[in-house]
Amino acid sequence: MSKLATKDIIVEIADQLFYQQGYQHTSFADISNEVGISRGNFYHHFKSKDDILDAVIQRRLANTEKMLNDWQEDEQTSLEQIRCFINILIMNRAKIKLYGCPVGTLTTELAKLDHPSLIDANKVFSLFADWLEKRFLDLGQKENAKELALHLLARSQGIATIASAFQDETVLYREVETLNEWLTTYS
Amino acid sequence: MSKLATKDIIVEIADQLFYQQGYQHTSFADISNEVGISRGNFYHHFKSKDDILDAVIQRRLANTEKMLNDWQEDEQTSLEQIRCFINILIMNRAKIKLYGCPVGTLTTELAKLDHPSLIDANKVFSLFADWLEKRFLDLGQKENAKELALHLLARSQGIATIASAFQDETVLYREVETLNEWLTTYS
DNA sequence: ACAATTTTAGGACGGCCGTCCTAGAGTGCT
DNA sequence: AGCACTCTAGGACGGCCGTCCTAAAATTGT
């Protein structure tokens, strides 16, 4: 029982630290200190640091998929479902202010490292993009549903980047409002 | 003569490498190999790695200021001047696809490192923001010139992030077009 | 031409990194 | 109770990092 738990805890802690400190800047010592296990014990659960990164990405993919499904079940209209996506920025504003968007900052880092896991990390973006595309299709945007999805993705990325750079929430609130007004055009 | 030149070359190479590989991931060995000088010789020109980072940021600030002044002189209307800003995305599309926006990715990295130079790195953003604000003021947007400037900054950041994540130029071209259409609203 | 100063090369240093190894502790099954 | 297996702790290992030191080379000023 605790076998799986320990492994899951490692991934959970690594997920947080990779987000807050970046992948490179997070060492095994950091993770093991936080988890409370010895440094050497790591390699019983994972082959390498890259292996942990892969596990973290898989975890994020699963969590994202679950979140999107929940929104689909909880909200009635496609418009309200899309607003759930926009609302992440408000919900996570405190962390975004400090560390930016978890998805965007990881892909940015991996791109610069020319890291092979960039492809997998991008799948989180793709999950959002595909899901948003379906909502826009449902709103009758047959021609440019994919374009609108990527546009919304880009807008939210920009908001997170600026809010993090200036460590400021007011620009985040204002831009989210602008984004919601933009969305009204497609209702 | 060569005294200043060597120092400048170091900063120039460091600037490129910090952009392409990230600050942390760029080592003294990387820079010295590229410049063609010995590793030990570095500390005659700079006190530390952070010292080089500061020099790189100062260089970027100077270059940005020069670029903005050039646009001001070359283009007649404020609208055309703003379009110069948007057009950076097209001009630098190849590099943006690979490494993202130099300003945004550096601030993102420094924010995660909790690095003291984040404040200075942000000044590049502020240069753009203040400059854009004045153009929007000139376009008669007295009430929300600053908001429009930050909005444009955020939009371009988002485009760079998505283009880099998906290593794709088509989304960049399309989003720039959307951005230009948006700007027409304020002419 | 010579002394003073600046610039350079190259190695040495501690430190932290990811990784690996080994011995012991814990656990479950018969 | 005894055995097999899983899990854990802690240290050892090469390697690279940023930094520092020293001595020689190049440059400058007079």
Side-chain angles (χ1 to χ4, degrees):
Chain A
M1 280 303 108
S2 70
K3 171 185 176 180
L4 277 173
T6 308
K7 196 168 183 175
D8 285 347
I9 290 168
I10 293 174
V11 177
E12 190 185 337
I13 299 288
D15 191 350
Q16 292 173 21
L17 290 177
F18 288 172
Y19 175 37
Q20 293 168 9
Q21 310 183 346
Y23 174 62
Q24 302 171 85
H25 193 241
T26 301
S27 69
F28 274 68
D30 290 334
I31 305 174
S32 61
N33 280 340
E34 204 77 20
V35 177
I37 62 168
S38 71
R39 210 172 63 265
N41 184 18
F42 253 102
Y43 285 75
H44 182 261
H45 298 285
F46 298 97
K47 279 185 296 181
S48 66
K49 197 185 176 185
D50 285 353
D51 219 43
I52 299 181
L53 175 61
D54 287 338
V56 166
I57 293 173
Q58 291 307 317
R59 180 191 147 91
R60 291 191 184 182
L61 280 168
N63 286 348
T64 304
E65 207 155 15
K66 194 187 172 304
M67 184 174 67
L68 293 175
N69 281 329
D70 286 349
W71 289 345
Q72 237 165 297
E73 289 170 7
D74 293 352
E75 300 298 328
Q76 304 294 332
T77 69
S78 288
L79 199 79
E80 283 167 341
Q81 288 171 14
I82 295 176
R83 288 206 196 281
C84 283
F85 170 79
I86 297 175
N87 209 41
I88 314 178
L89 289 162
I90 302 291
M91 299 279 281
N92 301 338
R93 63 187 182 279
K95 287 191 173 180
I96 288 172
K97 195 177 79 173
L98 291 170
Y99 318 114
C101 167
V103 191
T105 55
L106 181 63
T107 56
T108 296
E109 186 178 2
L110 295 183
K112 277 191 204 293
L113 297 180
D114 212 7
H115 197 288
S117 293
L118 172 62
I119 298 135
D120 280 332
N122 270 332
K123 287 180 182 169
V124 186
F125 265 142
S126 296
L127 274 182
F128 281 114
D130 294 346
W131 186 86
L132 286 170
E133 185 184 351
K134 283 176 189 157
R135 309 306 123 193
F136 279 112
L137 272 173
D138 195 58
L139 286 177
Q141 298 293 325
K142 294 167 195 167
E143 300 290 321
N144 51 354
K146 196 178 193 77
E147 284 73 13
L148 288 170
L150 283 173
H151 177 81
L152 182 46
L153 219 56
R155 290 278 287 270
S156 56
Q157 280 303 306
I159 295 169
T161 303
I162 294 295
S164 168
F166 288 120
Q167 312 254 34
D168 175 44
E169 287 185 17
T170 61
V171 65
L172 189 146
Y173 273 108
R174 194 193 324 121
E175 283 294 317
V176 165
E177 205 185 318
T178 310
L179 208 45
N180 274 316
E181 284 166 14
W182 167 82
L183 185 60
T184 312
T185 323
Y186 298 94
S187 61
Chain B
M1 280 303 109
S2 70
K3 173 185 175 180
L4 277 173
T6 308
K7 197 167 183 176
D8 285 348
I9 291 169
I10 293 174
V11 178
E12 190 185 337
I13 298 288
D15 191 350
Q16 293 172 19
L17 290 177
F18 288 172
Y19 175 37
Q20 294 168 8
Q21 311 182 347
Y23 174 62
Q24 302 171 85
H25 193 242
T26 301
S27 69
F28 273 69
D30 291 334
I31 304 174
S32 61
N33 280 339
E34 204 77 20
V35 177
I37 62 168
S38 71
R39 210 172 63 265
N41 183 18
F42 253 102
Y43 285 75
H44 181 260
H45 298 285
F46 297 96
K47 280 184 295 179
S48 65
K49 196 185 177 186
D50 286 353
D51 219 43
I52 299 182
L53 175 61
D54 287 337
V56 166
I57 292 172
Q58 291 307 318
R59 180 191 147 90
R60 292 191 184 183
L61 279 169
N63 286 348
T64 304
E65 207 154 16
K66 195 187 172 303
M67 184 174 66
L68 293 174
N69 281 330
D70 287 348
W71 290 345
Q72 237 166 297
E73 289 170 9
D74 293 352
E75 301 298 328
Q76 304 293 333
T77 69
S78 289
L79 200 78
E80 282 166 342
Q81 288 171 14
I82 296 175
R83 289 205 196 281
C84 283
F85 171 79
I86 297 175
N87 210 41
I88 313 178
L89 289 163
I90 302 291
M91 300 279 282
N92 301 340
R93 62 187 182 280
K95 287 191 175 182
I96 288 172
K97 193 176 80 173
L98 290 171
Y99 318 115
C101 166
V103 192
T105 55
L106 182 62
T107 55
T108 296
E109 186 178 3
L110 295 182
K112 278 193 204 290
L113 297 180
D114 212 7
H115 198 287
S117 293
L118 172 61
I119 298 134
D120 280 332
N122 270 332
K123 287 180 182 168
V124 187
F125 266 142
S126 296
L127 275 183
F128 281 114
D130 294 345
W131 186 87
L132 286 170
E133 184 184 352
K134 281 176 190 158
R135 310 304 124 193
F136 278 112
L137 271 172
D138 196 58
L139 287 177
Q141 299 293 325
K142 294 167 196 168
E143 301 290 320
N144 50 355
K146 198 179 192 74
E147 285 73 13
L148 288 170
L150 283 173
H151 177 80
L152 182 47
L153 219 55
R155 289 279 287 271
S156 56
Q157 281 301 308
I159 295 169
T161 304
I162 294 295
S164 168
F166 288 119
Q167 312 255 33
D168 175 44
E169 286 185 18
T170 61
V171 65
L172 188 146
Y173 273 108
R174 194 193 324 122
E175 283 294 316
V176 165
E177 204 186 317
T178 309
L179 207 46
N180 274 318
E181 284 167 14
W182 166 83
L183 185 60
T184 313
T185 322
Y186 298 94
S187 62

